[in-house]
Amino acid sequence: MNSQYDPKQAEEKIYRLWEKSGFADPDKLPGKRTKKFSAMMAPPNITGSLHMGHALENISVDIAVRMKRMQGFKALWLPGIDHAGIAAQNAVEKNLRKQNIRRQDLGREKFVEKMYEWKEKYGHIILDQLKKLGALPDWSRTRFTLDPEYAEAVRHAFIHYYEKGWIYRGERVINWCPRCETGISDLEVEYKEEPAKLYHIKYPLADGGFIIVATTRPETMFGDTAVAVNPKDGRYKKLIGKFAAVPIQNRRIPIIADRGVDMKFGTGAVKVTPAHDVSDFEMSIRHNLPRIKIINEKGIMTDESGVFCAGLKTGECRGKTAEELQKLGLLEKAENYIHNAAFCERCGTKIEPRLSLQWFLKMAELAELTIKAIKNKKTALYPKKWEKPALEWLKNIRDWNISRQLWWGHRLPVWFHEPKCEPKKDREKDVAKCKEFVVSEKKPKCEYCDAEFIRSDDVLDTWFSSALWPFATLGWPKKTTDLSEYYPTDYITSAREILNLWIIRMIFSGMEFMGKTPFKTAHIHATILTKDGKRMSKSLGTGIDPLLLVERYGADAVRFGITYQNLGGQDIRFSEDAIITGKKFCNKIWNATRFVMMANREKISDFNDKNPKPKTAADKKILIALKMANKKTETGIDKYEFGKVLHSLYDFFWHDFCDQYIEESKKQSADPKLAENTNRILFYVLTNSLKLLHPFLPFITEEIWDNLRSAGLKAGPLIIESWPRQV
RNA sequence: GGGCGCAUAGCUCAGCCGGUUAGAGCGUUGCAUUCACAUUGCAAAGGUCUCUGGUUCGAAUCCAGAUGCGCCCACCA
């Protein structure tokens, strides 16, 4: 053995050894294994490249799975990738724009072809990169959220909900991105503070007076169908039930009382535009108000906004309206005002709330189910502090808008009866029974006419399919053996920003379709920040590429460095120093091995893993320390406290074993009465340490193990070599 | 507007179900290399544990408040 460990020389060779062993596939693990452990990889998007978050997540799961595999569990870690709806579509659109092509130029079919080309090209890059980190999931079970079998699961889920009456179609004001031309969810909206003007506008009353409303968006005035005040507001009490006129249009609208109006904001009176504001829409339900759509899907004022603004962009209309109000003397004032403006998270365009026909999933019962599951610890959210925000979100949840006007994704299994049926003379009566749409797995035929059914253009929110991940990947809705063996899973870890987006939705999907929560523990891991506490972001150039670090220091050093700093839910200010510490540690392990091997030379083939008997105080001390390290590692990994465990293993190996015992052993070996026993203990502690360290530092430990086997050690590869027994 | 978290050595962080001289890594300083490893060993310097008040025989640790920083959630026109 060389005096230095060379990761470059070892890593690729070792990974091949693992792949060749087939042990990543739980079906191919040796021995009778009754205990199971399973985890699903959080599927990376087909866009983008590996970042520190992926590294942290997958290293963590890899550690847990490796220990379980060694402990004799039938351990499955299933990998995969996500089609990532809007994110992926935007990435490809952006790419096409470089060649001056818009998706509309290509048409849907051609565009989707381009999407698949992209997926073929980039989809597996991240997964391949994970290998460089030593991650060893069962590649033979890799899934993609648009696989035909997965699509079947998605349709099945949709139809299940629909038949339960939980999916409905309705007009709602939703967040609309005029650039992506699709509705997006609340969770895909980003708020940024922005200076604006708060316009105080006089709405004339019949008696010649005014009611003044405050708004940042005067152009939406043309869609007003009421003015609302708080019922307790003394200033306006006598006006409730009377009428005001929309300026410019002179259209009469009622003055209503609604408890949702904040008396302290602006003038205490608010214009109500039900088609273009979420809370106004809700008010319109409570008060049965008409809804006038004045902004179209591209963010242009419609004809319904009146000749005054029709055809203009909303921003242009705003200026023009303000001017006109000024002229008419109806603009009381326009004060500077900072407000939180909504932007599309994926493309940065300002959101235009819009009344639009969408599909929704009723959340009331699913939320109830999830709240119970979390409260009863069917799934433990860890750290525990995330329970409260999760429950809070569920308590106030609204129905989930599951439709998107995108081209990339699972199309709804909804079929529209189009074109409108042309009645045949002999069947005129039946035609009335033709359905507007049918929800069905396959294209239906109309019983009453010859019209075709055409599949809905809408696709499902990407999270609708991700929500099924823990069981759709195992073959659901078919009753597969994988499903019965590996569902529910034990562990999942994810970034906190997708707690609501993904984790919670997996929980209720699991409850609904499988009757059990999909994982026993959901671990919300820390965010890795830059050294000065900034967010790592590719666009800001603050990101660190984990692969570059692997190149520079070796995979084990990177795994060490990340895990060593991952001590809890606290954000990590990432320091490369920890990786250097890891590299040094690898070298320490390497050289300790060299020493122990040299001490034992010819005798390696004689060793078994029976407990040696301590003869000196130092012997006793190191054997106890090993026992403690073993116990701490086991219980620590079972609690997913990876950083803590690694700290204690580091201290044990470096200080207890190398600094103290190895030094002491040099003296003991000089005594012929102690020499042999001492060497035995050295070997015993070393080999058991390698086992304990293997989940964290798989390459170097396996490489060393390989050397020991070459030197005569009777053992299989470390990856399945049995975990040290606690005596 | 609600909620959560953090503040400990020059830097990054442990410790925090109260109890002997507050720990680690990196950095700094000194000494030590034929004898596993200089990617090393031994030793040292370095902290009024953010501030104020409270509980207690005793507080970095528990409680309240202040200050600073960060994050999440929310339909504030």
Side-chain angles (χ1 to χ4, degrees), chain A residues 332-568:
Chain A
E332 168 85 1
K333 61 176 173 182
E335 54 188 8
N336 288 327
Y337 177 65
I338 307 282
H339 77 144
N340 249 349
F343 297 88
C344 172
E345 178 191 64
R346 299 298 176 179
C347 75
T349 305
K350 198 178 257 183
I351 294 299
E352 210 54 79
R354 238 183 112 240
L355 190 62
S356 138
L357 201 51
Q358 301 287 349
W359 295 84
F360 294 87
L361 176 58
K362 283 188 188 167
M363 286 307 302
E365 288 182 60
L366 289 170
E368 199 47 49
L369 215 55
T370 317
I371 288 171
K372 261 192 220 142
I374 293 174
K375 281 191 177 161
N376 297 334
K377 305 278 182 222
K378 298 293 180 200
T379 286
L381 294 185
Y382 167 79
K384 206 170 172 277
K385 66 176 178 188
W386 293 103
E387 269 179 26
K388 201 172 161 182
L391 292 172
E392 205 57 30
W393 186 71
L394 284 162
K395 219 171 70 196
N396 302 316
I397 203 161
R398 301 154 170 239
D399 289 349
W400 179 10
N401 173 202
I402 52 172
S403 52
R404 295 289 182 276
Q405 290 63 54
L406 298 169
W407 288 354
W408 178 238
H410 293 279
R411 278 170 97 151
L412 274 56
V414 174
W415 305 82
F416 287 98
H417 193 285
E418 279 172 358
K420 288 279 174 264
C421 45
E422 284 165 31
K424 289 186 177 174
K425 270 176 195 147
D426 54 330
R427 291 210 205 151
E428 223 159 319
K429 270 185 188 165
D430 291 348
V431 167
K433 294 185 189 167
C434 288
K435 286 180 182 149
E436 188 195 355
F437 65 83
V438 173
V439 171
S440 145
E441 187 86 18
K442 291 196 188 107
K443 183 172 177 165
K445 279 199 187 113
C446 186
E447 296 171 59
Y448 308 105
C449 75
D450 293 329
E452 289 267 314
F453 274 95
I454 296 179
R455 191 158 185 185
S456 166
D457 281 334
D458 287 2
V459 299
L460 285 161
D461 179 9
T462 196
W463 298 104
F464 187 92
S465 53
S466 317
L468 312 176
W469 186 248
F471 45 95
T473 49
L474 295 171
W476 184 88
K478 291 196 194 74
K479 290 196 169 84
T480 61
T481 41
D482 268 10
L483 198 58
S484 59
E485 292 228 52
Y486 302 114
Y487 190 93
T489 68
D490 290 272
Y491 180 63
I492 194 144
T493 180
S494 97
R496 61 172 142 280
E497 61 260 31
I498 55 176
L499 172 60
N500 296 337
L501 235 24
W502 191 44
I503 300 289
I504 294 209
R505 284 169 176 165
M506 281 192 284
I507 296 177
F508 69 65
S509 306
M511 295 292 286
E512 179 65 18
F513 294 110
M514 298 294 298
K516 278 182 187 162
T517 63
F519 18 75
K520 295 185 191 95
T521 304
H523 183 176
I524 310 303
H525 67 240
T527 307
I528 300 189
L529 306 171
T530 66
K531 200 162 175 144
D532 355 282
K534 300 251 163 55
R535 219 178 170 71
M536 281 200 183
S537 126
K538 207 163 67 174
S539 54
L540 293 174
T542 50
I544 297 176
D545 180 359
L547 293 176
L548 224 68
L549 297 173
V550 169
E551 188 64 30
R552 205 175 301 157
Y553 303 105
D556 291 320
V558 173
R559 290 171 68 108
F560 181 99
I562 291 174
T563 307
Y564 199 72
Q565 295 182 78
N566 184 205
L567 284 152

Side-chain angles (χ1 to χ4, degrees), chain A residues 37 55-71 75 77 133-136 491 556 558-560 562-564 566 633 636-638 640-643 645-646 649 691-698 723:
Chain A
F37 184 87
L56 176 75
E57 254 168 43
N58 290 291
I59 290 168
S60 299
V61 181
D62 195 54
I63 291 169
V65 174
R66 279 180 187 274
M67 180 178 80
K68 290 294 167 184
R69 203 183 279 129
M70 290 171 82
Q71 285 177 332
W77 180 19
L133 285 166
L136 190 68
Y491 180 63
D556 291 320
V558 173
R559 290 171 68 108
F560 181 99
I562 291 174
T563 307
Y564 199 72
N566 184 205
T633 305
I637 292 179
D638 278 339
Y640 309 109
E641 295 175 336
F642 306 109
V645 172
L646 185 56
L649 275 175
K691 291 178 185 178
L692 298 179
L693 287 164
H694 180 259
F696 297 89
L697 311 170
W723 191 252

Side-chain angles (χ1 to χ4, degrees), chain A residues 685-710:
Chain A
V685 176
L686 174 76
T687 49
N688 280 295
S689 299
L690 288 172
K691 291 178 185 178
L692 298 179
L693 287 164
H694 180 259
F696 297 89
L697 311 170
F699 287 112
I700 184 174
T701 49
E702 188 74 80
E703 169 71 6
I704 289 173
W705 201 255
D706 208 39
N707 275 301
L708 291 173
R709 290 165 74 200
S710 304

